[in-house]
Amino acid sequence: MDTQRNESEDFMLELGAITKSFGKNTILHQVSLRVRKGEVCSIIGPSGAGKSTLLRCINLLEQPDSGNMSLNGNFYDVSFPLRQDELLSLRRTCGMVFQSFNLFPHMTVLQNVVFPQRHVLRRNESEAREVALKLLDRVGLKNKASSHPTQLSGGQQQRVAIARALALEPKLMLFDEPTSALDPELAHEVLDVMRELADSGMTMVVVTHEMNFARTVGDHLVVMADGHKIEEGIPEAIMDHPQQSRTRQFLSAVNH
Amino acid sequence: MQFLPTLLVGLRQSLWIIAAVIAIGLPLAFCLALMVMSKHRLISAVGLVIVEVGRGMPALVILYLVYYGLPRFGLNLTNIASVIGALAWNYSCYCSEIIRAGILSVPKGQLEAGQALGLKPRITFLRVVAPQGLLSTIPGLMGQTILAFQDTSLAYTIAVPELMKQAYSLGGESFQYLRVFVLAGLVYAAVTLPSTWITTWVERRINTAY
């Protein structure tokens, strides 16, 4: 019993048999996943595989039909909607970065990072500003603090979105195709920030098409197809010696 | 031109009516929009009935129902109160649909960003969704207000001494109906045309807001 508890303490996130359907289409078939503390877990696979849906089930932007979840030592039965206070505390544990950035366009860059801290962590204005400026500096955008998001490039907007999420001190960062809307040059600056974040020990789950990132930064690779987890393990091992034909097919299409 | 001073007295009355209609109608429109968008089925249904009835009937019919109908239920309103009440209902129903469309036009990602950050739904609505959604409704609401201002002319049918009623009386006294009504039309236009120009200008400003 003791050893079991010790083992589960190593994990930041454990998903158990997550199932999700939209109407008659089952998007996720009993997907389970364990992510260790400090680990970078990349999820790859063809479109329609259910990668994003799985990620969105973690912070319950999608309500699974059934399954359970353990996040930072807290257990949740996610077969039913959580109570409001449980839901908010779960979401405070995860930060999320979206493909489309989703910054608040009516606020300045600084306000984007300050405003959630004021409400979620109840920080006072000066403390929240201090944290925000430190994080904007970390992502290289301190000089853009008073700009509006639309005045920024896509890569800059995504870096602000990362700073906004980090300001709430998440234990786990979720990235939903963070560079898919960016051209390669701009994607690069976002990937650099993510790499630095991984090096600092942040636990990350990244849905991505960036094979190089998954290979060089990722510790753990999950391949999904048609709502199933079809293969997982060490990134180099899977990329160089895929065991499943479906994985081979996907990797050869990507590397083509 | 000797009619103008009397018409301007009427105009003042018309402007008072529209001011009251806006003051009552806009908050009511916001509440109706929230009701219709509510997840609660009953609240949504009640809101929808109020809005659809209010939009479905001509303003004149609503005015008569309020002025001639409500006394049957023991509610005697003065003619000015009746016209304000009737137009405010009609106006708020149209405005509530404009507000609802504006709020629904906010990209879903904004709501999701608020949720993912762990903001309470009320904060996400008030600080993220509503400010963006309402900004885009301002030109539509201004346009609706101009229409409502023209509808204040219906008040002449229940003897409210507003612009149209004054014009009607002046015409009856002088038999110069054409002159009087042309002048009255110009007075209405003197209010509505600049308002339209302002609306267009605001619309352009909003389109370049961010």
Side-chain angles (χ1 to χ4, degrees):
Chain A
M1 196 61 195
D2 255 10
T3 51
Q4 219 175 356
R5 197 188 311 138
N6 282 339
E7 190 187 312
S8 77
E9 274 175 9
D10 290 344
F11 290 99
M12 176 60 70
L13 173 72
E14 293 175 89
L15 299 178
I18 300 287
T19 297
K20 172 72 183 172
S21 322
F22 290 112
K24 282 182 182 158
N25 293 329
T26 304
I27 306 297
L28 296 173
H29 298 268
Q30 306 230 339
V31 178
S32 299
L33 179 67
R34 303 216 285 185
V35 180
R36 290 180 183 281
K37 288 182 178 161
E39 183 175 85
V40 176
C41 172
S42 312
I43 306 178
I44 63 170
S47 40
K51 309 178 296 285
S52 288
T53 306
L54 182 65
L55 196 75
R56 291 161 58 85
C57 282
I58 297 172
N59 67 353
L60 296 175
L61 284 184
E62 301 291 354
Q63 172 66 46
D65 300 334
S66 63
N68 59 67
M69 169 163 41
S70 173
L71 178 64
N72 195 32
N74 296 312
F75 181 83
Y76 303 94
D77 178 357
V78 293
S79 307
F80 304 98
L82 297 187
R83 287 201 320 266
Q84 176 81 10
D85 55 328
E86 283 181 311
L87 182 64
L88 291 179
S89 97
L90 181 150
R91 285 176 175 163
R92 278 165 205 190
T93 314
C94 315
M96 189 173 205
V97 174
F98 298 88
Q99 182 178 348
S100 51
F101 328 133
N102 296 347
L103 293 178
F104 303 134
H106 57 305
M107 299 181 189
T108 63
V109 164
L110 185 65
Q111 286 168 337
N112 264 277
V113 187
V114 167
F115 154 70
Q117 297 181 60
R118 302 270 287 132
H119 287 277
V120 176
L121 301 181
R122 306 223 157 270
R123 283 186 177 141
N124 64 40
E125 182 72 24
S126 65
E127 194 186 353
R129 284 173 73 99
E130 198 179 317
V131 171
L133 288 170
K134 203 183 287 176
L135 284 166
L136 287 173
D137 195 27
R138 185 170 166 191
V139 300
L141 291 170
K142 198 176 180 181
N143 59 338
K144 298 285 185 190
S146 54
S147 304
H148 274 267
T150 48
Q151 297 169 303
L152 269 53
S153 74
Q156 291 172 328
Q157 289 189 50
Q158 194 61 296
R159 283 145 65 196
V160 173
I162 293 172
R164 179 175 71 173
L166 290 179
L168 302 179
E169 295 172 1
K171 301 279 189 231
L172 171 69
M173 282 288 285
L174 307 173
F175 290 86
D176 189 4
E177 302 198 24
T179 58
S180 295
L182 303 172
D183 63 48
E185 205 174 345
L186 297 180
H188 195 73
E189 63 189 43
V190 172
L191 292 169
D192 283 346
V193 169
M194 290 171 64
R195 192 183 304 260
E196 188 264 332
L197 189 60
D199 290 344
S200 76
M202 176 63 77
T203 311
M204 296 161 59
V205 180
V206 186
V207 171
T208 188
H209 295 296
E210 298 278 351
M211 293 300 146
N212 190 41
F213 179 87
R215 188 185 187 103
T216 60
V217 182
D219 305 301
H220 178 182
L221 184 69
V222 174
V223 186
M224 289 185 68
D226 306 319
H228 294 274
K229 182 177 76 177
I230 56 173
E231 197 161 349
E232 73 177 315
I234 296 166
E236 289 88 353
I238 292 179
M239 288 186 181
D240 297 340
H241 306 288
Q243 300 298 305
Q244 302 288 327
S245 62
R246 188 71 185 84
T247 310
R248 266 196 294 280
Q249 191 189 334
F250 173 70
L251 287 173
S252 72
V254 172
N255 294 326
H256 199 66
Chain B
M1 267 314 186
Q2 78 271 26
F3 304 127
L4 196 57
T6 314
L7 290 179
L8 290 181
V9 171
L11 176 64
R12 227 172 90 175
Q13 177 73 69
S14 300
L15 290 173
W16 270 114
I17 294 172
I18 191 64
V21 167
I22 295 168
I24 298 169
L26 279 186
L28 191 62
F30 195 71
C31 295
L32 286 173
L34 290 182
M35 281 178 77
V36 174
M37 284 188 293
S38 169
K39 279 190 199 123
H40 199 294
R41 282 262 180 87
L42 185 68
I43 294 176
S44 168
V46 170
L48 208 61
V49 168
I50 295 173
V51 169
E52 290 308 324
V53 169
R55 294 200 308 162
M57 284 191 296
L60 185 59
V61 175
I62 300 180
L63 178 58
Y64 279 8
L65 284 177
V66 170
Y67 188 61
Y68 296 112
L70 287 185
R72 282 285 191 94
F73 301 95
L75 191 58
N76 279 299
L77 295 176
T78 65
N79 53 0
I80 291 181
S82 297
V83 77
I84 289 170
L87 290 182
W89 180 18
N90 189 245
Y91 173 71
S92 67
C93 293
Y94 280 102
C95 289
S96 80
E97 287 295 286
I98 295 171
I99 290 171
R100 194 168 69 95
I103 285 173
L104 291 179
S105 74
V106 177
K108 199 163 158 259
Q110 292 290 309
L111 179 67
E112 289 186 346
Q115 289 175 326
L117 288 164
L119 292 168
K120 293 193 177 114
R122 193 174 57 88
I123 301 289
T124 304
F125 182 77
L126 290 177
R127 297 290 307 277
V128 176
V129 177
Q132 297 180 61
L134 293 183
L135 186 69
S136 64
T137 66
I138 291 172
L141 293 177
M142 289 173 76
Q144 197 60 47
T145 306
I146 292 170
L147 292 177
F149 174 68
Q150 293 170 357
D151 279 350
T152 60
S153 61
L154 297 172
Y156 100 93
T157 61
I158 56 171
V160 175
E162 45 67 70
L163 178 51
M164 187 63 188
K165 171 71 181 161
Q166 300 290 1
Y168 207 77
S169 304
L170 288 172
E173 288 160 15
S174 63
F175 291 104
Q176 297 188 328
Y177 283 106
L178 182 63
R179 278 196 187 177
V180 172
F181 284 125
V182 166
L183 197 56
L186 288 175
V187 173
Y188 277 113
V191 175
T192 56
L193 286 182
S195 306
T196 308
W197 298 331
I198 293 170
T199 306
T200 314
W201 177 77
V202 168
E203 199 167 5
R204 264 208 308 275
R205 282 291 305 273
I206 287 172
N207 286 339
T208 56
Y210 301 135

